[in-house]
Amino acid sequence: MLEGITSEAFVMGCSAIGAGLAAIAGIGPGIGQGYAAGKGCEAVGRQPEAQGDIIRTMVMGQAIAETTGIYGLVIAMILLFLNPFV
């Protein structure tokens, strides 16, 4: 089945597939950050006097959630642009 494919081409193809899967990791943080922002706005609407605390907590949570997406992007970039055969 893999007779016409060199081992180098096979590894590069698998790296591209892995990069695609790693890039999918950005979907979860995007959904989570949108949900957190929506809930933060609802909380500020209910308790305007606690706006500072709510916004600070929301931004901290979004920053932590964003690290997952950035990590997936870095892994995807490494898999795409780092040649293991050099």
Side-chain angles (χ1 to χ4, degrees):
M1 181 174 172
L2 299 175
E3 294 173 5
I5 300 174
T6 64
S7 61
E8 182 175 319
F10 181 74
V11 169
M12 295 302 283
C14 288
S15 295
I17 291 170
L21 291 173
I24 290 174
I27 294 173
I31 293 171
Q33 287 177 342
Y35 186 75
K39 290 297 180 182
C41 290
E42 287 178 8
V44 169
R46 282 192 309 264
Q47 295 180 337
E49 67 274 2
Q51 178 182 5
D53 292 336
I54 293 168
I55 296 295
R56 184 176 44 239
T57 304
M58 181 187 71
V59 169
M60 180 63 79
Q62 288 187 343
I64 292 171
E66 183 67 27
T67 58
T68 306
I70 292 171
Y71 181 71
L73 177 67
V74 169
I75 295 299
M77 298 294 270
I78 288 172
L79 287 172
L80 285 177
F81 297 113
L82 188 66
N83 188 355
F85 299 108
V86 175

